[in-house]
Amino acid sequence: AHYRPQAFPGPIRTASLPLGQAAYARECARCHGDYDDNLEKPRLLRFPNWAGDVGTDMSRVRAFDPELAARVNASAYRETISAAATGKLAAPLLSGVWASAPYFVNGSVPTLRHLLEPATRPERFMTGGHRLDFARVGLALEPDASGLWRDGSGYRGFAGAVTIDTRKPGFSNRGHEQEVSGLTPDERDALLEYLKLL
């Protein structure tokens, strides 16, 4: 059986997809995997299992030490995984990435737009049950007068809200800047559209 994530439920600007696909192939594929040329339902062809450091918060990586890895391997999880304390952060597979906000291993970036535009990343935002932002791809939030990004629509989510404060230890929203620095504004826009397909 081949896993296919649910299709993105919002609009996709199809005219942007060739540019987005090219930007993905040039800037993202070496770590996140190669997809075929299909611009309706791209299929993953190769996943490199890249691991390293892209400047993101490594607190969770450091917390997963050899003792914790041994405990995981001694648990019922041993049937499906083999844990190792590598000191590295693995690049995730991006299939279904639109549905996995907030982003980074510590959940410190609320949308893919913010990930692609590091200077715009909110310092504080609310998470929990939330609406999907079809344009920015991620949590549908706007800043209030205090600078806290929240859902101001009156929507009542299925889970209690939690504030992510990127100034606190373990929640830095820095990282991955170098990996997106070579993108033009048009390429960022187009890449966002392409990521909706994965």
Side-chain angles (χ1 to χ4, degrees):
H2 294 281
Y3 169 75
R4 291 292 301 161
Q6 181 179 346
F8 182 73
I12 297 174
R13 290 180 297 124
T14 57
S16 299
L17 293 176
L19 179 59
Q21 182 183 50
Y24 178 90
R26 187 184 78 236
E27 300 294 338
C28 312
R30 70 182 159 273
C31 298
H32 295 286
D34 295 305
Y35 288 82
D36 67 17
D37 292 332
N38 188 312
L39 288 178
E40 290 181 15
K41 293 182 180 179
R43 288 204 171 269
L44 183 69
L45 299 175
R46 181 191 67 88
F47 185 64
N49 286 319
W50 182 92
D53 185 355
V54 292
T56 53
D57 193 302
M58 298 293 279
S59 298
R60 285 165 174 78
V61 172
R62 287 189 296 274
F64 199 85
D65 61 14
E67 181 182 343
L68 182 54
R71 288 180 184 220
V72 170
N73 288 329
S75 73
Y77 289 111
R78 73 182 176 284
E79 299 295 324
T80 54
I81 65 171
S82 177
T86 64
K88 297 178 182 178
L89 190 61
L93 180 67
L94 296 184
S95 297
V97 67
W98 67 266
S100 62
Y103 300 100
F104 287 169
V105 70
N106 63 359
S108 64
V109 178
T111 71
L112 288 176
R113 172 63 72 186
H114 290 115
L115 193 149
L116 295 174
E117 297 176 354
T120 69
R121 294 176 187 168
E123 189 172 78
R124 296 178 306 125
F125 64 93
M126 303 292 290
T127 187
H130 58 272
R131 296 176 305 122
L132 178 65
D133 184 324
F134 290 131
R136 287 185 290 219
V137 188
L139 309 182
L141 309 171
E142 295 297 332
D144 66 14
S146 74
L148 175 65
W149 286 61
R150 62 173 60 236
D151 184 341
S153 71
Y155 172 77
R156 294 181 52 96
F158 60 86
V162 174
T163 300
I164 302 297
D165 187 336
T166 64
R167 301 168 297 184
K168 291 186 176 178
F171 288 95
S172 171
N173 65 3
R174 300 291 20 118
H176 213 274
E177 290 96 344
Q178 183 64 36
E179 289 72 18
V180 298
S181 66
L183 296 168
T184 68
D186 286 344
E187 286 174 326
R188 289 172 202 262
D189 291 345
L191 178 57
L192 191 60
E193 297 303 309
Y194 181 72
L195 291 172
K196 294 175 183 179
L197 293 179
L198 303 184

